[in-house]
């Protein structure tokens, strides 16, 4: 195992401090633990994240909420997607070195606090047993929702640029 330089240790301590501050402000969660990213095998999850953020081989979102959507409706929509997916015990990717493990006990409080803190509706949640990845990607025109399971075959929008993403009806 390589030892860290003084500068790298200082950066790691600063990152840990920032994540601890973020974790302390979270509401609607219990059992929050800061984890060293290397302590959990998330190779599959990270591969899926890279594909979601790829411009050439991006998978088709599970659902899309077109903007302009009122904030209350967006909150209800995201909460319903999380409930349908059975989201409770999760790992949240919040930093390249550290992730948070937690149980979401109140989705309303969790979403409200997360969105206020971040200033957008981006969210990445990692789930195990079975391996799943849930991503909400907030962009200028829509809120994309990805729910990818390890045994799921992905279709890519990059394979067919004219392919229409299905829109959620209000």
């Amino acid at each position: 195992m390589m030892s860290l330089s003084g500068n790298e240790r200082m950066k790691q301590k600063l990152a840990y401090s920032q994540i601890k501050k973020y974790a302390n402000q979270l509401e609607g969660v219990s059992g929050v633990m800061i984890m060293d990213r290397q302590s959990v095998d998330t190779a599959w999850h990270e591969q899926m994240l890279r594909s979601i953020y790829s411009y050439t081989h991006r998978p088709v979102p599970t659902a899309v909420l077109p903007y302009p959507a009122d904030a209350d409706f967006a909150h209800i929509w995201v909460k319903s997607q999380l409930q349908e997916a059975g989201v409770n015990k999760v790992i949240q990717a919040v930093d390249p070195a550290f992730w948070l493990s937690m149980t979401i006990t109140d989705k309303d409080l969790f979403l409200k606090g997360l969105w206020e803190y971040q200033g957008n509706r981006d969210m990445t949640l990692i789930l195990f047993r079975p391996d799943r990845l849930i991503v909400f990607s907030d962009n200028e025109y829509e809120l994309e929702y990805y729910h990818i399971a390890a045994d799921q075959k992905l279709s890519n929008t990059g394979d067919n640029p004219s392919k229409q993403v299905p829109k959620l009806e209000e």
Side-chain angles (χ1 to χ4, degrees):
M1 184 169 171
M2 287 180 64
S3 74
L4 298 174
S5 71
N7 189 29
E8 290 168 327
R9 274 195 303 274
M10 184 68 77
K11 286 180 183 178
Q12 202 170 44
K13 285 182 181 182
L14 178 60
Y16 185 87
S17 169
Q18 290 171 334
I19 290 176
K20 188 171 184 175
K21 180 180 175 184
Y22 167 73
N24 287 338
Q25 68 82 38
L26 282 174
E27 294 182 72
V29 297
S30 65
V32 178
M33 291 184 346
I34 300 173
M35 303 170 51
D36 180 332
R37 180 178 171 190
Q38 303 304 315
S39 67
V40 180
D41 179 14
T42 57
W44 175 83
H45 299 89
E46 292 180 55
Q47 178 185 1
M48 292 300 102
L49 271 174
R50 281 190 298 276
S51 71
I52 288 171
Y53 294 117
S54 163
Y55 288 104
T56 56
H57 292 78
R58 188 177 195 152
V60 175
T62 306
V64 176
L65 177 64
Y67 286 145
D70 125 322
D72 289 336
F73 182 76
H75 180 96
I76 292 166
W77 183 74
V78 170
K79 180 183 170 187
S80 72
Q81 299 300 328
L82 293 176
Q83 286 174 324
E84 187 177 312
V87 172
N88 289 315
K89 180 79 173 163
V90 300
I91 293 177
Q92 184 182 18
V94 292
D95 179 85
F98 300 105
W99 289 359
L100 291 179
S101 171
M102 67 187 110
T103 301
I104 300 173
T105 57
D106 185 321
K107 291 173 183 67
D108 287 318
L109 286 174
F110 174 71
L111 291 172
K112 183 178 181 283
L114 176 70
W115 292 349
E116 285 176 3
Y117 184 84
Q118 292 182 163
N120 63 41
R121 292 186 177 98
D122 288 339
M123 177 174 35
T124 300
L125 301 175
I126 295 170
L127 295 91
F128 295 96
R129 297 187 198 114
D131 283 346
R132 293 181 292 154
L133 181 68
I134 294 187
V135 176
F136 288 92
S137 181
D138 188 354
N139 65 46
E140 191 175 341
Y141 305 105
E142 59 201 8
L143 180 60
E144 296 174 328
Y145 167 59
Y146 297 87
H147 181 174
I148 303 170
D151 59 356
Q152 176 180 346
K153 177 158 174 31
L154 300 180
S155 58
N156 295 330
T157 56
D159 296 340
N160 182 358
S162 65
K163 186 170 189 173
Q164 293 293 313
V165 176
K167 301 290 184 191
L168 179 72
E169 297 296 322
E170 288 188 48

